[in-house]
Amino acid sequence: MVNLSTPIEELPRVGAAYAKRLKKFGIKTIQDLLFHFPARYDDFSEIIKISAARHKLGQTACAQGKIIEIENSRTKKRWMAMTEASIEDDTGQIKAVWFNQPYIAKSLKEDDFVSLAGKISLYKEGLYFNSPSYERINNFDENENLTHTGRIVPVYPETRGITSKWLRYIIKPLLYRFAEQIPESLPKEIIKKYKFLAIQEAMWQLHFPETFEHADAAKARFSFEELFLIQLNVLKEKIKLKQKKSPACPMRADLMKKFTSSLPFKLTDSQKKCAFAILKDLEKSVPMSRLLEGDVGSGKTVVATMAALNTAKCGYQTAFMAPTEILAKQHFKTITELLLNFDVNVGLLTGKDARIFKKNETIEVSKKSFNGDLENGQLNIIIGTHALIQKGIEFKNLGLVVVDEQHRFGVEQRDKLIKNKKLVPHLLSMTATPIPRTLALTVYGDLDLSLIDEMPKNRKKIKTLVVEPKDRKEAYNFIEKEVNEGKGVFVICPKIESKKPGANGCPTSHQAGGMSDIPPAFAPQNYDLRSIALNEVKAVKDEYKKLSEEIFPDLRITMLHGKMKPKEKERIMLDFKKGEIDILVSTSVVEVGVDVPRATIMMIEGAERFGLSQLHQFRGRVGRSDVQSYCFLFTTDPSQLNRKRLKAMVDSDNGFELAQKDLEIRGPGSLYGTQQWGLPDMAMQGLSNIFLVEKTRTAAKELLEKDPELKNYPLLKERLLQFEKKIHFE
Ligand code: ADP
Ligand code: MG
């Protein structure tokens, strides 16, 4: 029997070919299809008389009439297939014109009644519907059940071969058959408390809303539901973790004092506060799960080092994980310098290398001897990439895991480590990715938050400028002057290579997406314009050539991009750090925390292509010493929106503020790194609303306090399981 869990290929209108395309959206069953929600709506709800079309010139309108004539022909200029129809109602006549869809003349016939919705254009003296949506109707029945016109029409996320029209055609009959069967998974008391639509009604109103208010009400329900499920998921884990035991590591106040007074600088108040919160957590035998957030350069490493030192002196090991080899090595160097004379043994483990710092000296060792020292507890702090926690690596007594810049990674990896251990290590996750509070509460909902919200005092504010094309030369002069004083310059480009025009017309970068859906025949002029703009996207290889051959033939310039081998990238970064390279032309690979204090200029090409948070992270690569640093933003996009965004960069040096701005200006989709969190659409939309996020969090907390296993909510439990399978953060 066909039901909600029937695979879609079994539906006669779908079949294998469409089923395959739908899988791209993760749609496998009828239920999945019903949960494929519209991204937006077209408002075709007002139906006008044909005689009123002249008032709608240049706008969208919907009208209905009888087809008097319909035929295919070809355009004179481009020999494009064209379908022309004349439609009549009791007030007048109008034409409809479609291009490249000759089949329309087969499906619509003379004397058919149609409903049309689309833009009213003018050609010579005559008004016509320009490529309108259409559907056949029965005469002019008031109660006509319209799908594609004459109503608020859903527009879905589309993929190749799956159009919104097709989705409407498939989904509507499924709603008639199955909407009633969709189980209500939200607890009754929540529906009542927040006056939500029941799921069956919400499902209808989301796909085929009566009014925009109805659509909003449906959205509110589903946004709540998705965020609520995420909260249940993270809070459930949190509760589970609370029942585990961790090594309690009492705070060694004297040791911490000795450490801080050995530093060449004074900790900021923020650093002190965060370190204290962490050290207090470590004292407990409940596992710590803490996120340390702080802008680039705010000094997180030193705080983590304090935690590791304290843990070491309590007899437990610390694993310190970095996202790349370069960063692991950098951390090793920093931390061993910080811990000079503290009698702590520090290990470094990367792809091929193993090094040990012992008695203030660093030696290379074999992996075998490294692993031996790890197992017998000789090593106190072990720094590496996530190679650290793979099989074959045995810690003697891991007390703390520090994870740098890897988002959810830490939580999941610790989960793996926990498996057969009695004691669960504490977790400190660190990030410079400024995320707004709503997102923090959601994706990091199970973590306690510590914020380093001030910069070390010796820093000068980075001067940020939007450079107009006419001032480019001046910027280059300035750069040359700085380089001659021994300073380093980053040049960031959005792409590695420029695509030759005509190769396939599509950009490689996802940031420039959406090009492929402009059919050349439809908008010939636009298309040409856009492809020119496309080639202007600065590419590392071209920029490198231009700078080294034309602009600065005397300077030492090197390029760096993601297609290079890690070893090569590392060598280049080190040369740059040492001052053997003046200008580094790079893609966004420099984003993560490599520390090059001598770099004082960050020049960003195609700034319109990056989100504010990302720009902010680039900017954080400079200004890492007491020397004045600069960030130059180059852009070819004159739009207001872009101006506004770049102005925000100039005005603010606060990553959290910028993340919030990005959320406001470009919406949740723009949030840095959101793809990797894989949040479902409705939850994403809900992220703009702090009240909603807090509501879902409270509701989830209350429910789990009452019923941690969700025993009394079997449908919710089932839905949560399905949901967890679908989303997994990173
Ligand atoms: P991030 O938070 O980006 O990881 P780091 O820990 O790499 O920042 O610190 C950036 C630089 O600032 C390092 O060179 C570090 O030694 C230095 N630093 C850290 N704390 C302070 C401070 N309170 N005063 C001055 N310099 C500091
Ligand atoms: Mg760092």
Side-chain angles (χ1 to χ4, degrees):
M1 211 191 69
V2 183
N3 60 32
L4 281 169
S5 42
T6 301
I8 38 170
E9 49 265 47
E10 288 176 27
L11 290 172
R13 294 169 172 213
V14 177
Y18 278 108
K20 199 169 148 197
R21 294 175 202 162
L22 286 169
K23 290 227 164 88
K24 283 212 181 107
F25 288 120
I27 298 172
K28 295 185 188 130
T29 64
I30 292 179
Q31 170 144 335
D32 294 339
L33 198 50
L34 294 180
F35 276 89
H36 185 64
F37 295 147
R40 59 181 186 85
Y41 303 94
D42 280 331
D43 187 3
F44 295 151
S45 54
E46 189 198 358
I47 302 175
I48 60 166
K49 287 290 181 190
I50 287 175
S51 63
R54 63 201 150 85
H55 303 303
K56 292 277 182 185
L57 182 59
Q59 301 169 38
T60 355
C62 177
Q64 301 180 336
K66 187 163 114 172
I67 299 181
I68 313 173
E69 198 179 8
I70 183 161
E71 61 180 16
N72 283 334
S73 61
R74 288 205 169 261
T75 61
K76 289 202 185 72
K77 267 199 192 143
R78 288 174 167 260
W79 204 241
M80 245 190 291
M82 178 164 93
T83 309
E84 260 181 296
S86 294
I87 288 104
E88 177 183 72
D89 70 4
D90 54 357
T91 68
Q93 270 194 24
I94 193 163
K95 277 202 165 141
V97 179
W98 294 272
F99 297 97
N100 282 340
Q101 301 171 74
Y103 54 84
I104 292 176
K106 292 210 177 75
S107 67
L108 295 179
K109 298 277 172 224
E110 273 163 37
D111 293 337
D112 280 350
F113 285 89
V114 281
S115 183
L116 300 173
K119 193 167 159 191
I120 309 281
S121 302
L122 188 66
Y123 181 71
K124 289 181 183 158
E125 294 296 281
L127 288 174
Y128 69 100
F129 272 101
N130 193 341
S131 300
S133 300
Y134 62 92
E135 63 190 302
R136 222 171 321 164
I137 54 175
N138 299 312
N139 210 332
F140 299 111
D141 183 353
E142 289 272 307
N143 301 315
E144 186 70 53
N145 187 347
L146 294 164
T147 306
H148 310 286
T149 64
R151 59 167 307 122
I152 296 169
V153 175
V155 181
Y156 294 92
E158 298 178 354
T159 177
R160 197 176 285 268
I162 301 282
T163 62
S164 284
K165 181 164 190 175
W166 185 82
L167 284 164
R168 291 191 289 266
Y169 160 80
I170 296 294
I171 289 175
K172 202 172 185 191
L174 290 177
L175 281 171
Y176 278 111
R177 262 180 91 183
F178 297 105
E180 286 306 313
Q181 295 176 29
I182 301 171
E184 178 56 84
S185 42
L186 276 184
K188 275 195 207 73
E189 57 269 30
I190 286 183
I191 296 202
K192 213 168 132 203
K193 180 166 175 192
Y194 297 108
K195 303 197 177 67
F196 285 138
L197 297 178
I199 193 157
Q200 300 82 4
E201 170 73 5
M203 197 54 106
W204 265 111
Q205 294 297 351
L206 196 65
H207 285 289
F208 294 98
E210 275 164 56
T211 64
F212 278 99
E213 287 74 39
H214 284 84
D216 286 344
K219 259 191 241 168
R221 185 217 138 95
F222 286 113
S223 283
F224 181 97
E225 187 167 358
E226 285 187 357
L227 287 169
F228 179 63
L229 291 169
I230 293 174
Q231 294 292 350
L232 284 175
N233 172 267
V234 293
L235 294 177
K236 228 177 50 188
E237 293 305 315
K238 192 172 179 172
I239 292 173
K240 241 198 251 162
L241 201 64
K242 280 233 167 89
Q243 291 153 1
K244 306 251 159 108
K245 284 250 170 302
S246 284
C249 302
M251 176 156 76
R252 305 284 180 94
D254 288 351
L255 177 67
M256 292 297 107
K257 240 192 215 127
K258 184 177 159 210
F259 176 78
T260 47
S261 52
S262 77
L263 294 171
F265 46 75
K266 269 179 80 174
L267 290 183
T268 60
D269 287 345
S270 265
Q271 279 173 315
K272 281 187 208 156
K273 238 186 265 163
C274 292
F276 189 73
I278 293 163
L279 292 166
K280 276 288 158 200
D281 275 359
L282 293 178
E283 294 197 319
K284 297 180 199 141
S285 56
V286 235
M288 166 174 83
S289 297
R290 191 168 279 279
L291 180 68
L292 179 61
E293 283 204 66
D295 250 345
V296 271
S298 62
K300 296 183 288 293
T301 319
V302 105
V303 173
T305 307
M306 290 173 74
L309 173 61
N310 197 82
T311 305
K313 294 297 177 186
C314 291
Y316 292 97
Q317 293 171 306
T318 295
F320 197 127
M321 284 193 285
T324 62
E325 284 200 31
I326 306 184
L327 282 171
K329 285 184 178 158
Q330 187 179 300
H331 279 319
F332 180 72
K333 190 161 170 281
T334 311
I335 290 171
T336 52
E337 278 166 15
L338 289 172
L339 293 179
L340 218 60
N341 301 323
F342 277 89
D343 191 23
V344 176
N345 300 338
V346 186
L348 171 73
L349 187 69
T350 58
K352 287 196 191 77
D353 281 333
R355 288 182 215 168
I356 290 180
F357 170 87
K358 207 187 224 170
K359 302 216 166 74
N360 292 344
E361 253 183 87
T362 298
I363 45 166
E364 301 225 1
V365 296
S366 70
K367 285 222 161 152
K368 201 161 162 229
S369 107
F370 188 95
N371 287 345
D373 280 0
L374 196 60
E375 273 171 56
N376 66 27
Q378 276 279 311
L379 286 177
N380 307 113
I381 301 173
I382 304 91
I383 299 164
T385 53
H386 55 272
L388 267 192
I389 49 163
Q390 274 155 14
K391 337 188 257 283
I393 307 280
E394 277 297 326
F395 290 86
K396 178 165 181 241
N397 53 5
L398 194 55
L400 170 66
V401 177
V402 180
V403 185
D404 196 18
E405 284 301 345
Q406 299 183 67
H407 307 286
R408 297 293 309 175
F409 181 77
V411 178
E412 294 195 349
Q413 296 304 320
R414 175 171 65 177
D415 287 352
K416 281 187 197 157
L417 282 167
I418 291 174
K419 248 186 273 160
N420 40 23
K421 294 260 154 77
K422 272 209 209 79
L423 282 183
V424 174
H426 296 287
L427 174 73
L428 177 65
S429 185
M430 307 197 288
T431 181
T433 305
I435 51 174
R437 195 173 146 66
T438 47
L439 192 58
L441 282 174
T442 310
V443 283
Y444 294 131
D446 50 344
L447 305 183
D448 298 315
L449 209 65
S450 281
L451 204 61
I452 304 188
D453 56 3
E454 68 184 307
M455 289 303 234
K457 299 259 175 335
N458 60 352
R459 300 289 156 74
K460 286 210 175 66
K461 195 175 161 182
I462 300 167
K463 287 196 177 135
T464 304
L465 284 94
V466 179
V467 184
E468 302 300 330
K470 67 171 172 46
D471 298 329
R472 183 176 277 273
K473 183 136 196 313
E474 203 180 322
Y476 284 148
N477 290 341
F478 184 79
I479 286 173
E480 186 152 18
K481 196 180 105 258
E482 288 278 297
V483 168
N484 287 334
E485 288 173 16
K487 294 167 186 164
V489 179
F490 285 106
V491 176
I492 305 284
C493 301
K495 304 199 308 170
I496 300 180
E497 262 165 302
S498 61
K499 244 210 156 110
K500 292 288 163 278
N504 64 9
C506 299
T508 42
S509 154
H510 69 277
Q511 317 234 18
M515 290 297 305
S516 52
D517 50 37
I518 303 170
F522 265 80
Q525 280 165 341
N526 272 351
Y527 192 71
D528 293 346
L529 273 178
R530 290 256 211 144
S531 50
I532 291 166
L534 205 74
N535 288 322
E536 272 176 19
V537 176
K538 297 277 181 180
V540 167
K541 290 189 179 167
D542 301 349
E543 236 11 58
Y544 166 72
K545 197 158 177 273
K546 187 180 102 185
L547 291 175
S548 53
E549 288 175 8
E550 294 167 32
I551 315 274
F552 305 121
D554 299 331
L555 302 186
R556 295 161 303 172
I557 305 179
T558 302
M559 59 178 167
L560 182 75
H561 56 73
K563 283 195 182 153
M564 291 175 161
K565 298 218 170 68
K567 273 261 174 290
E568 207 179 345
K569 282 194 277 191
E570 185 177 342
R571 189 181 47 78
I572 293 172
M573 280 316 293
L574 289 178
D575 287 352
F576 188 45
K577 211 169 157 156
K578 279 189 278 182
E580 284 162 15
I581 294 170
D582 301 317
I583 301 181
L584 194 64
V585 186
S586 167
T587 51
S588 57
V589 293
V590 296
E591 224 174 316
V592 270
V594 177
D595 200 17
V596 185
R598 61 175 286 274
T600 58
I601 297 183
M602 169 57 66
M603 164 166 166
I604 303 168
E605 297 282 359
E608 70 276 4
R609 305 213 152 226
F610 300 104
L612 289 178
S613 307
Q614 209 180 359
L615 289 174
H616 180 66
Q617 293 230 327
F618 292 146
R619 180 166 61 183
R621 299 294 107 223
V622 297
R624 299 196 143 220
S625 65
D626 51 5
V627 180
Q628 180 63 55
S629 287
Y630 301 86
C631 175
F632 296 150
L633 303 169
F634 288 82
T635 177
T636 49
D637 175 5
S639 72
Q640 278 303 322
L641 190 74
N642 184 46
R643 293 273 146 190
K644 198 168 148 195
R645 271 171 16 91
L646 297 187
K647 181 158 186 315
M649 274 298 289
V650 173
D651 292 345
S652 172
D653 60 355
N654 179 316
F656 296 88
E657 233 171 76
L658 288 168
Q660 192 62 41
K661 275 256 163 63
D662 240 355
L663 184 64
E664 284 159 23
I665 301 176
R666 296 201 308 170
S670 68
L671 283 178
Y672 178 76
T674 36
Q675 294 93 334
Q676 71 202 14
W677 285 312
L679 292 181
D681 284 353
M682 287 288 154
M684 285 287 289
Q685 289 181 29
L687 286 180
S688 313
N689 185 344
I690 181 80
F691 301 109
L692 177 65
V693 172
E694 280 172 351
K695 251 192 260 176
T696 57
R697 193 168 169 81
T698 315
K701 253 192 197 148
E702 283 173 4
L703 192 70
L704 287 173
E705 270 162 25
K706 256 192 343 207
D707 185 357
E709 300 290 321
L710 301 178
K711 283 200 186 88
N712 297 316
Y713 302 90
L715 287 173
L716 179 62
K717 192 172 179 170
E718 170 64 29
R719 174 108 167 83
L720 184 59
L721 271 174
Q722 283 172 10
F723 190 76
E724 282 166 350
K725 257 188 242 158
K726 237 176 157 170
I727 55 154
H728 47 96
F729 302 121
E730 201 177 24

